Amino acid sequence: MNGAGNAFAIFDARSTPFAPTQDQIRQIATDLKADQVIALERDATKDVFMRIWNSDGGEVAACGNGARAVAHLILEETGKQMVTIQTEADMLKGFKAIDGLVTVDMGSPLMGWEDIPLAEKMDVRGVDVKIGPMDNPTLARPAVVSMGNPHAVFFVKDVNAYNIPQLGPLVEWHPLFPEGTNVGFAQVLDREHIRLRVWERGAGLTKACGTGACAALVCAARAGLTERTVKLILDGGELLIDWRENDDHVYMTGPVEIEFETVI
Ligand SMILES: N[C@H](CCC[C@H](N)C(=O)O)C(=O)O
């Protein structure tokens, strides 16, 4: 399945156990050209439990576009107007939106340095990370936030001016991030539009990143660079992100498409 350019291999493990090794995850992701592998599992109180692995084989706690793809599947399967998805990080809600789009309530952003997590106490609005020559760094002082997974967001003048495959890994596994981090390159076009490219932890440069879009919006709005409802323009498509003041939740709306279905 595809969510704004993110490609997922989704396995229905609600009646057939699915417990792959890291090597098997890596092989599946390679064979199916997936950014993440997702398993649907039974949950005692929610419509479904969503287990997520990056293409490097590592299990992670959040995947925004994956949640929208899973929400679409369960909305169609149940005919409900709202579905609940449990992940390791949070309980999410999925809704049908207009024009076949799907909205997921991603919950509240986490902004404590321990929540990201960072290796030491630091101002999350701009952390002490410099990439490139120390006297004239290529990248410096990313804003950080967690959407259930860690994100470092660099605000840049031109997202196409950076060698992301070279720079991304240097931030992804920087010592300040004990669990690694996703790395966003965000270009604020105006107060309601951000162009974003993401080097994903454990998956590399992808065409889209749902939690990355949420993270970029939260960091931009927190810094006063944009409104709280913004269109994120990614390589693979557009996402509307809305960080609502009434509940502090971040709502993500975007397209989903099923590329193929195989019953194994
Ligand atoms: N690479 C991310 C997981 C997938 C995020 C992305 N696919 C999304 O839509 O949120 C991480 O390691 O936290």
Side-chain angles (χ1 to χ4, degrees):
M1 285 192 79
N2 197 301
N6 258 149
F8 306 108
I10 300 179
F11 292 81
D12 189 345
R14 291 174 290 183
S15 46
T16 314
F18 178 70
T21 63
Q22 286 207 354
D23 282 343
Q24 288 171 325
I25 289 291
R26 283 193 282 265
Q27 192 60 54
I28 291 166
T30 302
D31 294 348
L32 298 181
K33 296 184 177 54
D35 301 323
Q36 277 83 29
V37 175
I38 290 172
L40 306 181
E41 298 177 0
R42 287 185 193 286
D43 185 273
T45 57
K46 309 299 182 304
D47 288 307
V48 72
F49 183 94
M50 176 172 91
R51 193 168 303 279
I52 310 148
W53 295 269
N54 280 321
S55 52
D56 71 350
E59 186 173 346
V60 291
C63 179
N65 282 330
R68 283 192 310 100
V70 168
H72 170 78
L73 287 173
I74 308 300
L75 284 163
E76 292 301 306
E77 185 180 271
T78 61
K80 293 166 78 172
Q81 291 306 305
M82 187 277 283
V83 293
T84 53
I85 303 169
Q86 187 66 49
T87 66
E88 289 293 353
D90 202 349
M91 192 278 281
L92 311 176
K93 291 178 184 171
F95 310 86
K96 283 188 177 179
I98 55 165
D99 300 335
L101 300 179
V102 176
T103 295
V104 171
D105 171 356
M106 294 294 292
S108 295
L110 302 175
M111 301 199 220
W113 68 274
E114 313 92 322
D115 299 318
I116 308 302
L118 299 180
E120 58 185 281
K121 183 176 171 53
M122 213 170 270
D123 183 348
V124 295
R125 292 168 300 177
V127 297
D128 185 14
V129 168
K130 285 183 184 167
I131 303 294
M134 284 301 114
D135 59 347
N136 180 27
T138 310
L139 291 168
R141 289 194 81 251
V144 296
V145 69
S146 170
M147 289 304 303
N149 56 355
H151 287 271
V153 181
F154 292 95
F155 288 101
V156 298
K157 288 189 176 24
D158 177 359
V159 293
N160 296 311
Y162 293 84
N163 182 341
I164 294 178
Q166 178 202 34
L167 298 168
L170 302 177
V171 183
E172 177 186 3
W173 300 113
H174 187 285
L176 182 62
F177 302 102
E179 294 177 10
T181 185
N182 296 282
V183 187
F185 295 75
Q187 178 181 346
V188 175
L189 302 176
D190 59 43
R191 292 192 59 82
E192 295 177 339
H193 296 84
I194 297 174
R195 172 79 173 89
L196 177 69
R197 303 188 79 198
V198 182
W199 176 267
E200 282 197 39
R201 176 183 62 171
L205 182 60
T206 60
K207 290 184 181 171
C209 179
T211 50
C214 297
L217 179 269
V218 167
C219 292
R222 180 176 62 184
L225 302 175
T226 65
E227 302 303 321
R228 295 173 67 103
T229 302
V230 167
K231 186 169 283 186
L232 274 283
I233 301 153
L234 298 118
D235 291 350
E238 294 184 359
L239 292 170
L240 182 69
I241 311 292
D242 177 12
W243 181 22
R244 294 185 189 166
E245 293 194 83
N246 63 336
D247 60 4
D248 187 46
H249 284 201
V250 182
Y251 294 79
M252 170 185 25
T253 300
V256 172
E257 57 189 86
I258 296 179
E259 296 190 337
F260 56 82
E261 283 190 74
T262 310
V263 179
I264 49 173

